[in-house]
Amino acid sequence: MDTLILLRHGKSAYPDKVKDHDRPLAPRGVRQAGLAGKAIRRFGHDVDLVLCSTAERAQATLAQAAVDAPVRHLPALYGATGTEILKIVEAERGDAATVLVVGHDPGLAEAAQILDPTFTFAKFPTSAFTVIREGHAELHIPR
């Protein structure tokens, strides 16, 4: 794998009596997710495989980002630690050169810090993504 992209879901809504796993995106999250997808494409990242949490807000983020690649929906990404995320990526990636993970914090930030100890963000903003290549992580916050 040459490149790993870690994308946090967009800003979620908090409707009454909806379980955390089932929370949808807020209107701001819909906009953010679309901007994240445009930014990923603008930077020239051709994604070969997407690994996405089964949480509603992660699924909606992926739909709005409109990334054109095969997708695997993985329940294990919901609530995964950084170490667990990296194990999932290793198990699922096959020969994909660029893998996009759509998931949750703090696991995404932990995964970035494992791969690049100089990565200083303890938390990803919603719809932010980091691109990790050759042990270097760079955070992007779409606006």
Side-chain angles (χ1 to χ4, degrees), residues 18-105:
V18 174
K19 291 188 246 178
D20 183 73
H21 187 274
D22 300 330
R23 285 190 291 129
L25 289 178
R28 182 174 104 192
V30 171
R31 183 180 57 79
Q32 288 176 324
L35 291 172
K38 287 178 186 173
I40 289 168
R41 288 186 294 282
R42 184 174 63 244
F43 286 112
H45 300 298
D46 294 325
V47 175
D48 299 309
L49 176 65
V50 178
L51 305 176
C52 188
S53 164
T54 55
E56 174 61 31
R57 60 194 179 276
Q59 300 282 321
T61 296
L62 178 57
Q64 291 298 317
V67 174
D68 184 25
V71 178
R72 295 187 190 142
H73 305 278
L74 303 172
L77 285 172
Y78 177 71
T81 67
T83 299
E84 291 166 341
I85 290 169
L86 296 177
K87 285 180 181 177
I88 291 166
V89 169
E90 186 60 30
E92 297 286 335
R93 72 180 177 93
D95 62 355
T98 300
V99 176
L100 169 65
V101 176
V102 183
H104 311 273
D105 229 25

